[in-house]
Amino acid sequence: MSLEPRTPAAANGVVLEEPKRPAFASSSPRLRLNPNNDHNPDNYDDMQLDFSPEIFTSLERYLPASMLGKPRYDKFKFMREILLKYFPPGERNRIQKHREYRQKIISNYQPLHRGLYSMQPAATFVTAFLKAVSENTQESFRRIMSEPSPGIFAFEMFQPRFCELLLSEVENFENWVNEAKFKIMRPNTMNKYGAVLDDFGLETMLDKLMESFIRPISKVFFPEVGGATLDSHHGFVVEYGDNRDVDLGFHVDDSEVTLNVCLGKQFTGGELYFRGTRCDKHVNSGSQSEEIFDYAHVPGYAVLHRGRHRHGARATTSGHRINLILWCRSSVFREMKKYRKDFSSWCGECLHEKKERQRKSIGATKQELLRRDGESAL
């Protein structure tokens, strides 16, 4: 599921300072911090909903104990009230217009490679990646991945033929847009080129990519930011190089986990530079030396990282580079984050401050013990 109130039509990364969402009033519905894993949630597929049915199913395990035995409609109203706080009326109107825009495209656009529109793992992924996901263990994932910097995982993912087909499909869509004189929605406010893949019918395929392949990996490596509960996405391609975007400024993504796969083509430059993971409060803080890392793209290879891992893209100095980006989100994590103040499990600056407090506390304790020993000696 992608942008059906799950995210605005022009979902944006945050350029350093990210606007904070309003805090919920104490009387507002609240979810529990930890899920009830023994609870079997209802299915909401048959209901007319503003949001994806999977989001309600995902959230239900986090309902207060008093709500779990309620009728399905009561649980739906409780969760919907929480979700609507993320989307004021003006935003919901914009999302509805974007839904209509997407439906108009899908009704008129003729795909070039229809096989792309349903997930076909054997024709999409390299064998080693499929084997690792099938085994679904930290050890199997580690075998195919490198972690060149903490929280940044690189691995070979897509077959060359799949990359070629997806590139030609994107080119076909862009040609159709130009010939039909149809307005194209760009991926975000930072990129002037590229396209939202969900807009021309690839939503189901990307749902499967997130749910069956990215979520199992994220559950292992990013549990502290909702990696196990990813339930919506924003999928798009970006283009850099001659007569395209040149670089991308320093920012954080509007995601819990980001998948970035280079599709090709021939290019030089375009390295990603990473500068540490930060919460809202510390998004503009400095970087520690160990947080500074540059990553060079290789066609078919993916880099997976937290959305809050600050990064940018250096200039593509020649050629043409196209990347598939999948912003994976967790509605559960976004709700739970409202009730927490300490993010030291993933924010580098929160962790630095926590260690500094501990160091000062230990120092003060030592001083007090020395003082007492001195007084006893007298």
Side-chain angles (χ1 to χ4, degrees):
M1 67 247 57
S2 62
L3 318 168
E4 311 284 345
R6 310 148 216 184
T7 168
N12 300 320
V14 179
V15 181
L16 290 185
E17 288 210 351
E18 182 183 47
K20 293 180 173 62
R21 299 182 189 272
F24 293 161
S26 59
S27 60
S28 298
R30 290 182 58 163
L31 302 177
R32 49 194 289 162
L33 290 176
N34 298 305
N36 184 332
N37 292 320
D38 295 328
H39 176 69
N40 185 27
D42 282 319
N43 185 297
Y44 294 85
D45 288 341
D46 61 327
M47 298 181 68
Q48 294 295 318
L49 306 172
D50 298 331
F51 302 86
S52 166
E54 288 87 349
I55 290 180
F56 288 96
T57 299
S58 177
L59 282 178
E60 188 174 316
R61 285 194 174 94
Y62 289 82
L63 288 176
S66 60
M67 287 295 302
L68 291 177
K70 297 282 187 180
R72 184 178 67 159
Y73 187 70
D74 290 348
K75 291 184 287 189
F76 154 73
K77 287 194 299 181
F78 185 94
M79 292 185 285
R80 184 174 183 271
E81 184 175 347
I82 290 174
L83 291 168
L84 288 178
K85 292 181 181 297
Y86 292 98
F87 299 97
E91 185 67 17
R92 294 200 293 275
N93 290 338
R94 188 157 73 92
I95 290 167
Q96 177 59 33
K97 289 180 180 179
H98 184 261
R99 185 183 296 152
E100 295 167 358
Y101 158 85
R102 177 181 295 175
Q103 188 56 50
K104 185 175 180 181
I105 290 178
I106 293 174
S107 299
N108 291 279
Y109 173 66
Q110 296 299 315
L112 182 63
H113 304 293
R114 291 192 178 275
L116 288 174
Y117 290 75
S118 60
M119 174 57 70
Q120 301 179 38
T124 301
F125 305 109
V126 297
T127 302
F129 177 80
L130 279 177
K131 186 173 186 294
V133 173
S134 174
E135 294 178 13
N136 194 23
T137 65
Q138 181 171 332
E139 292 72 23
S140 69
F141 297 141
R142 289 281 186 189
R143 282 201 302 269
I144 65 166
M145 294 178 172
S146 64
E147 189 178 5
S149 184
I152 300 171
F153 298 91
F155 50 96
E156 188 177 12
M157 186 176 189
F158 288 154
Q159 295 183 23
R161 180 57 178 163
F162 175 81
C163 293
E164 293 171 5
L165 292 175
L166 186 54
L167 286 172
S168 65
E169 187 68 45
V170 171
E171 183 177 352
N172 185 65
F173 174 67
E174 291 180 336
N175 290 337
W176 175 81
V177 166
N178 291 330
E179 292 172 2
K181 294 181 169 48
F182 204 91
K183 181 181 178 182
I184 185 170
M185 294 281 193
R186 296 303 178 186
N188 50 62
T189 56
M190 297 179 291
N191 291 97
K192 296 179 182 178
Y193 294 89
V196 178
L197 297 176
D198 301 296
D199 283 352
F200 57 98
L202 287 166
E203 180 180 0
T204 299
M205 186 273 283
L206 293 177
D207 266 343
K208 186 69 173 177
L209 173 60
M210 180 190 70
E211 293 169 3
S212 300
F213 299 94
I214 303 306
R215 190 161 62 196
I217 299 173
S218 299
K219 180 180 180 179
V220 171
F221 295 115
F222 305 120
E224 72 289 341
V225 293
T229 56
L230 301 176
D231 54 18
S232 65
H233 75 260
H234 177 50
F236 54 97
V237 292
V238 290
E239 301 184 45
Y240 296 91
D242 300 334
N243 301 314
R244 296 291 191 276
D245 288 318
V246 176
D247 55 17
L248 187 64
F250 192 41
H251 67 284
V252 294
D253 296 336
D254 183 13
S255 70
E256 274 60 75
V257 176
T258 293
L259 174 73
N260 185 337
V261 191
C262 182
L263 301 176
K265 306 178 179 179
Q266 297 294 321
F267 60 90
T268 57
E271 298 85 359
L272 292 177
Y273 58 94
F274 290 90
R275 297 296 184 266
T277 308
R278 296 292 186 271
C279 64
D280 292 350
K281 178 182 176 182
H282 297 121
V283 72
N284 291 303
S285 64
S287 299
Q288 305 296 319
S289 60
E290 64 271 16
E291 295 178 317
I292 297 174
F293 173 69
D294 284 15
Y295 171 82
H297 289 290
V298 178
Y301 278 72
V303 59
L304 191 71
H305 59 86
R306 296 178 185 86
R308 299 293 308 188
H309 206 136
R310 302 177 301 177
H311 62 284
R314 301 194 189 283
T316 297
T317 52
S318 68
H320 188 192
R321 176 172 68 85
I322 303 179
N323 282 50
L324 164 67
I325 312 293
L326 191 68
W327 286 352
C328 303
R329 295 157 172 158
S330 167
S331 53
V332 169
F333 174 76
R334 294 188 175 207
E335 174 64 12
M336 295 299 98
K337 194 168 66 168
K338 303 304 169 189
Y339 314 125
R340 293 176 178 169
K341 295 182 180 179
D342 176 29
F343 301 103
S344 57
S345 63
W346 55 270
C347 171
E349 191 63 21
C350 281
L351 179 59
H352 176 73
E353 290 181 352
K354 183 176 182 179
K355 288 181 176 179
E356 185 64 17
R357 289 194 300 269
Q358 291 172 342
R359 185 189 66 80
K360 289 180 178 179
S361 176
I362 292 171
T365 301
K366 286 181 177 179
Q367 289 294 325
E368 179 63 17
L369 290 173
L370 289 172
R371 185 186 67 78
R372 291 180 182 179
D373 287 344
E375 291 177 352
S376 298
L378 294 176

